[in-house]
C-alpha cells in the first residue's frame, strides 16, 4: 500500500535535538504539515517587504506554501534572522540575461562560518563542528513526524526510504530572499554534505509540493560553496521574474536516457552546465540527476543544483571557483567584492555583501565576467560531458 508522508509542525516550545529523532523506521507514518506567510518583491529596486502581501489570500497558493510562509513570518516576528531581508535592496539588471542583484551588506560576516576545507567534495561528518542538530530550537519550522490527522496530504506515493526519514525544515538565519529555508534530510543521522538517491528525491518532492514557479530548491556541494558539512538543501521564494537567467538560457539537447529523461546542455550562458527534464514521473527525473550528482562527488568535482518548475526541471552546474581561490588564480576584483558563486549566484541571483557601491555599479558585463571565472573551462566541460554521458549509458537501470 502506498503511504502518504506529510510534514508535521513542531511547536517551538517542544523542539529540541532529541525531539527530532525518528519515531523509528518500523512504523508506517502518515504525516502532515502546518505553516503560512506574507512578503514581498517586485522589479527594479523593489521593496521585498510589501509587494506580495496580497498573495496571502491567493486561492492558487498551495497549502504547503501557505503554511510555510506563515511559519517563516512567525520566526521573522520573533527576531531570529541576522538581518531584515525586507530592507535589502534588489533589482533586475538591464541586459540579455536580466540578472538579479541583492545587496545584503556584511552577510558573509554574520552567517555561520565555513569549518572545513574546500578542496574535497566528500568529507566526513565532524560532530565537534557546527551542524544542524545544534541550532536554536526556534529555528525549526517543520519536521517529518508521525501524525494521526491526515486530512491534508501533501506528499503522495512516496517510497518507503523517504517516508521513514526523520527530516526537518529550518529557517536560514541569514536569508537572501523571502522564505529562505533549509531542508535537512534525516537530520539526526548526521549525514555529511553528500547527495544520495533518497535525499535528492525528498528535495524534488518539496519542490513539487510548492506548486509555484517562484519557489526553487537548491543544493551546493562541498567545494561548491556549501558552508556547513551536514547534508542540506536550500529553498526560497523569489518573485522577481518568471524565469531565472539560467532557466531561460538557450539549450541544446544531448540525449535521452531509457526512462525518458532528456539531458541538455546550456548554450550562450556564462556558466557551462546541464539541464535535466522529462521522465515518466518525478522519480525517473530524480533518479537520473542523483546518479550524476553521485558521479560528480565520487570524482571530486564541485557542483551546484537548481530544482525549478516544481520539480520538472533540474539544472546541474559544475564549478571551479574555490579551486581557483586556493591556487591564487581568482581575480582580485571579485575576491574583494566577496561574492561566493553558490547555486543562487550561478543561476542568476547575485548577492552582493561588501558595499552599496557594488550594488549601484552592478552590470551584466561584470556579472558575466564573474560567472565565467567561476565556471569550468570549455575543454573541462566537454571532457566532463563525455564522462557523464558514458557513465549514464553504462549505468544499470533501476529495478
Amino acid at each position: 500500500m502506498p503511504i502518504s508522508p506529510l510534514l508535521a509542525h513542531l511547536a517551538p516550545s517542544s523542539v529540541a535535538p532529541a525531539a527530532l529523532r525518528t519515531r523509528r523506521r518500523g512504523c508506517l507514518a502518515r504525516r502532515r504539515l502546518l505553516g503560512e506567510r506574507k512578503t514581498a518583491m517586485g522589479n527594479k529596486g523593489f521593496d521585498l517587504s510589501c509587494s506580495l502581501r496580497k498573495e496571502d489570500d491567493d486561492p492558487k497558493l498551495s497549502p504547503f506554501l501557505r503554511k510555510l510562509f506563515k511559519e517563516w513570518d512567525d520566526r521573522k516576528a520573533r527576531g531570529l534572522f541576522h538581518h531584515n531581508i525586507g530592507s535589502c535592496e534588489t533589482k533586475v539588471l538591464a541586459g540579455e540575461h536580466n540578472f538579479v542583484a541583492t545587496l545584503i551588506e556584511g552577510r558573509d560576516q554574520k552567517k555561520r562560518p565555513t569549518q572545513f576545507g574546500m578542496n574535497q567534495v566528500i568529507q566526513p561528518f565532524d560532530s565537534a563542528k557546527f551542524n544542524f542538530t545544534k541550532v536554536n530550537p526556534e529555528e525549526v519550522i517543520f519536521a517529518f513526524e508521525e501524525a494521526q490527522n491526515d486530512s491534508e496530504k501533501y506528499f503522495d506515493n512516496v517510497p518507503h526510504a523517504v517516508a521513514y526519514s526523520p527530516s526537518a525544515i529550518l529557517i536560514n538565519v541569514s536569508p537572501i530572499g523571502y522564505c529562505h529555508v533549509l531542508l535537512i534530510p534525516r537530520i539526526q543521522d548526521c549525514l555529511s554534505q553528500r547527495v544520495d538517491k533518497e535525499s535528492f528525491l525528498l528535495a524534488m518532492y518539496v519542490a513539487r509540493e510548492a506548486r509555484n514557479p517562484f519557489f526553487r530548491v537548491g543544493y551546493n556541494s562541498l567545494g561548491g560553496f556549501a558552508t556547513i558539512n551536514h547534508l542540506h538543501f536550500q529553498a526560497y521564494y523569489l518573485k522577481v521574474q518568471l524565469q531565472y537567467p539560467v532557466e531561460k538560457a538557450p539549450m541544446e539537447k544531448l540525449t535521452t536516457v531509457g526512462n525518458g529523461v532528456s539531458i541538455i546542455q546550456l548554450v550562450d550562458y556564462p556558466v557551462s552546465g546541464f539541464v535535466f527534464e522529462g521522465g515518466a514521473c518525478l522519480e525517473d527525473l530524480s533518479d537520473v540527476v542523483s546518479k550524476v550528482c553521485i558521479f560528480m562527488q565520487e570524482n571530486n568535482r564541485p557542483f551546484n543544483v537548481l530544482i525549478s518548475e516544481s520539480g520538472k526541471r533540474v539544472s546541474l552546474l559544475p564549478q571551479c571557483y574555490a579551486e581557483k581561490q586556493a591556487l591564487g588564480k581568482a581575480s582580485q576584483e571579485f575576491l574583494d567584492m566577496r561574492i561566493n558563486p553558490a547555486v543562487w549566484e550561478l543561476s542568476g541571483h547575485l548577492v552582493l555583501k561588501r558595499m552599496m557601491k557594488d550594488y549601484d555599479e552592478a552590470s551584466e558585463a561584470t556579472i558575466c565576467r564573474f560567472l565565467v571565472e567561476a565556471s569550468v573551462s570549455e575543454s573541462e566541460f566537454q571532457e566532463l560531458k563525455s564522462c557523464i554521458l558514458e557513465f549514464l549509458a553504462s549505468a544499470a537501470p533501476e529495478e
Side-chain angles (χ1 to χ4, degrees):
M1 295 228 1
I3 50 180
S4 301
L6 304 172
L7 288 173
H9 177 60
L10 289 182
S13 60
S14 66
V15 176
L20 293 174
R21 292 196 178 96
T22 175
R23 299 287 269 258
R24 258 355 340 158
R25 308 189 186 231
C27 56
L28 294 178
R30 291 198 166 192
R31 306 157 196 244
R32 59 172 306 211
L33 167 78
L34 301 173
E36 193 173 274
R37 104 77 170 56
K38 137 194 164 197
T39 196
M41 324 231 172
N43 49 21
K44 277 194 176 181
F46 52 75
D47 177 358
L48 288 165
S49 66
C50 64
S51 64
L52 293 185
R53 285 176 182 159
K54 293 182 180 179
E55 291 198 11
D56 283 346
D57 299 321
D58 184 355
K60 296 181 181 179
L61 199 64
S62 71
F64 172 77
L65 277 190
R66 188 177 299 279
K67 293 172 181 291
L68 187 63
F69 291 168
K70 179 179 180 180
E71 294 300 321
W72 197 89
D73 283 338
D74 171 75
R75 303 316 191 273
K76 178 183 176 183
R78 297 187 206 176
L80 297 181
F81 297 105
H82 291 169
H83 55 259
N84 178 11
I85 192 63
S87 65
C88 298
E89 295 196 51
T90 296
K91 63 184 177 182
V92 177
L93 303 182
E96 174 186 356
H97 299 291
N98 296 130
F99 293 116
V100 179
T102 295
L103 177 66
I104 310 178
E105 293 184 79
R107 179 178 186 266
D108 54 330
Q109 298 167 348
K110 298 175 183 177
K111 68 194 300 286
R112 290 160 180 148
T114 301
Q115 296 182 313
F116 54 86
M118 297 291 283
N119 61 334
Q120 293 293 325
V121 175
I122 296 177
Q123 298 180 42
F125 180 88
D126 186 345
S127 60
K129 295 179 179 178
F130 176 83
N131 63 76
F132 295 114
T133 67
K134 300 180 180 182
V135 300
N136 176 346
E138 290 186 303
E139 294 177 26
V140 180
I141 298 181
F142 307 117
F144 288 99
E145 181 180 74
E146 183 179 359
Q148 299 302 316
N149 186 340
D150 63 352
S151 61
E152 294 177 306
K153 294 179 178 173
Y154 297 92
F155 297 91
D156 291 326
N157 302 321
V158 178
H160 289 194
V162 173
Y164 291 145
S165 300
S167 305
I169 294 181
L170 285 60
I171 60 170
N172 187 324
V173 294
S174 298
I176 67 167
Y178 180 72
C179 205
H180 194 173
V181 295
L182 304 171
L183 169 64
I184 321 296
R186 297 160 53 190
I187 186 168
Q188 285 294 331
D189 289 352
C190 294
L191 305 173
S192 64
Q193 185 71 347
R194 178 178 183 175
V195 165
D196 58 39
K197 179 181 176 181
E198 289 76 21
S199 66
F200 197 84
L201 183 56
L202 176 63
M204 292 284 282
Y205 273 108
V206 169
R208 186 190 71 176
E209 292 308 309
R211 302 203 299 269
N212 192 297
F214 301 111
F215 184 84
R216 298 169 174 90
V217 178
Y219 176 83
N220 301 315
S221 77
L222 300 187
F225 292 91
T227 57
I228 305 296
N229 187 18
H230 186 175
L231 182 57
H232 65 285
F233 295 79
Q234 301 187 42
Y236 73 138
Y237 183 92
L238 184 68
K239 190 173 182 179
V240 180
Q241 48 195 6
L242 185 59
Q243 290 182 303
Y244 266 21
V246 74
E247 294 167 351
K248 66 177 186 177
M251 301 185 296
E252 176 183 307
K253 185 173 178 178
L254 298 174
T255 189
T256 301
V257 296
N259 56 2
V261 175
S262 296
I263 304 174
I264 306 160
Q265 71 176 22
L266 296 172
V267 179
D268 295 330
Y269 188 69
V271 181
S272 297
F274 303 97
V275 176
F276 302 83
E277 297 177 335
C281 59
L282 189 76
E283 288 82 357
D284 286 342
L285 181 57
S286 181
D287 179 61
V288 172
V289 180
S290 62
K291 282 180 178 177
V292 177
C293 291
I294 293 168
F295 176 85
M296 296 283 287
Q297 291 166 169
E298 293 178 346
N299 287 275
N300 201 35
R301 305 300 294 262
F303 64 95
N304 307 86
V305 174
L306 181 73
I307 303 173
S308 52
E309 297 182 15
S310 300
K312 297 177 183 176
R313 172 188 172 120
V314 183
S315 303
L316 190 150
L317 308 171
Q319 69 150 290
C320 63
Y321 193 70
E323 179 183 4
K324 285 184 176 179
Q325 286 181 318
L327 296 174
K329 296 182 178 180
S331 165
Q332 192 60 47
E333 173 190 4
F334 299 124
L335 291 175
D336 290 343
M337 290 177 68
R338 307 201 303 264
I339 309 175
N340 288 335
V343 58
W344 311 122
E345 286 80 6
L346 295 187
S347 301
H349 180 195
L350 281 296
V351 180
L352 307 175
K353 310 185 244 340
R354 184 175 59 167
M355 62 180 74
M356 178 62 76
K357 183 174 182 289
D358 294 336
Y359 179 80
D360 289 339
E361 297 180 356
S363 67
E364 179 169 290
T366 300
I367 299 306
C368 281
R369 286 193 295 108
F370 172 66
L371 294 181
V372 167
E373 182 164 315
S375 176
V376 297
S377 68
E378 178 62 22
S379 60
E380 289 176 306
F381 180 73
Q382 292 301 326
E383 178 182 1
L384 182 60
K385 177 174 67 175
S386 297
C387 291
I388 288 175
L389 294 179
E390 181 179 349
F391 164 72
L392 289 175
S394 62
E398 289 293 318
E399 297 183 359

